[in-house]
């Protein structure tokens, strides 16, 4: 996880076809995200981006997958958000 100027980055682990869209907490400095969507055609990525955007209070267009688009472990970049704001929401993300 790192903060770059006006962008915050965090590591997430996505569980597709998880039955519901939810953030299940932090484990090993990684945000655990569960989405109901399947990984076909990037649907799980879209659902994860929307869920994270809603949780941090930014529009989905401010959130992007910066790494790991085809795997469960991803790096997400959030524009217009300070790293401190992420740590305030999920203290266990702290380095």
């Amino acid at each position: 996880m790192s903060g770059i100027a006006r962008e915050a980055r965090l590591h997430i682990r996505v569980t597709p076809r998880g039955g519901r869209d939810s953030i299940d907490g932090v484990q090993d400095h990684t945000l655990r995200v569960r989405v109901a969507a399947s990984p076909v055609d990037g649907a799980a990525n879209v659902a994860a981006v929307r869920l994270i955007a809603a949780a941090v209070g930014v529009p989905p267009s401010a959130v992007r997958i910066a790494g790991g688009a085809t795997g469960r472990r991803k790096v997400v970049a959030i524009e217009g958000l300070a790293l401190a704001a992420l740590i305030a929401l999920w203290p266990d993300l702290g380095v």
Side-chain angles (χ1 to χ4, degrees), residues 11 55 65 69 82-83:
H11 294 270
I65 305 291
L83 181 59

Side-chain angles (χ1 to χ4, degrees), residues 24-76:
D24 293 340
V26 177
Q27 181 179 2
D28 299 326
H29 304 292
T30 301
L31 192 66
R32 307 228 2 152
V33 177
R34 174 187 310 266
V35 295
S38 72
V40 177
D41 295 327
N45 285 347
V46 171
V49 163
R50 288 182 180 154
L51 181 63
I52 291 170
V56 299
V58 299
S61 61
V63 180
R64 66 181 171 84
I65 305 291
T70 59
R72 287 179 181 242
R73 296 184 186 277
K74 304 174 187 308
V75 177
V76 175

Side-chain angles (χ1 to χ4, degrees), residues 3-26:
I4 302 171
R6 295 174 302 174
E7 180 179 85
R9 290 182 177 226
L10 73 150
H11 294 270
I12 67 170
R13 183 180 187 283
V14 177
T15 302
R17 293 187 301 263
R20 66 186 187 282
D21 291 353
S22 67
I23 294 175
D24 293 340
V26 177

